[in-house]
Amino acid sequence: RAWRARIRHGGEEALRASRATGRPEFLTPDQQKEIQDILESDPRLHGFETSGWTVPKVRQVIGLKYGVWIDRAHLSRKLRRWGFSYQRPALRAVERNEEDIAAWVRLQKEALEKKEG
């Protein structure tokens, strides 16, 4: 019935496929650019204790600054669209000393050999 009503009111042109636009953006292009600029800076400048942006941190900044609380999954897709990628930080101590580690391993190995022998 719907297509019959459309052809009656708008002719054949009314039956042509139209592109679904989806839900309108909550953030303006200028706001999106501001957010991208914020993400180029250190999160500690925005009140966070650690460096490195996470989706919850980005969500909080957007929510507090613009009053728009974006779903985490949607925000993750939006960040990828803006050119940001998921990165896992290296789990390595900054103050790591390879010489001290090698010495400790050598001492532990010697201690175990003495127990066995």
Side-chain angles (χ1 to χ4, degrees):
R1 278 195 228 172
W3 67 268
R4 281 188 201 150
R6 287 176 73 184
I7 201 167
R8 247 185 274 133
H9 294 293
E12 282 187 39
E13 189 62 32
L15 293 180
R16 295 205 188 281
S18 61
R19 185 170 179 217
T21 59
R23 189 174 196 164
E25 288 281 348
F26 286 112
L27 299 168
T28 67
D30 288 339
Q31 290 172 331
Q32 292 179 30
K33 178 67 176 128
E34 283 180 32
I35 293 166
Q36 292 174 36
D37 292 341
I38 289 170
L39 296 180
E40 296 294 334
S41 67
D42 192 328
R44 291 177 286 200
L45 297 174
H46 301 277
F48 296 104
E49 293 182 13
T50 58
S51 64
W53 285 104
T54 62
V55 172
K57 285 180 185 178
V58 175
R59 182 176 186 266
Q60 183 175 346
V61 168
I62 293 171
L64 293 175
K65 187 167 177 79
Y66 302 108
V68 177
W69 295 90
I70 301 173
D71 178 69
R72 289 175 59 166
H74 180 67
L75 180 56
S76 182
R77 289 188 299 272
K78 189 176 284 293
L79 288 169
R80 272 195 299 276
R81 216 175 317 129
W82 290 342
F84 294 97
S85 64
Y86 174 77
Q87 297 176 359
R88 179 170 288 165
L91 298 176
R92 183 182 169 122
V94 175
E95 62 277 352
R96 183 178 170 112
N97 185 329
E98 295 297 331
E99 292 174 7
D100 288 346
I101 293 170
W104 180 85
V105 169
R106 194 172 39 257
L107 288 172
Q108 294 302 314
K109 184 178 176 184
E110 291 172 3
L112 287 172
E113 288 172 351
K114 287 180 183 178
K115 283 185 178 180
E116 291 175 0

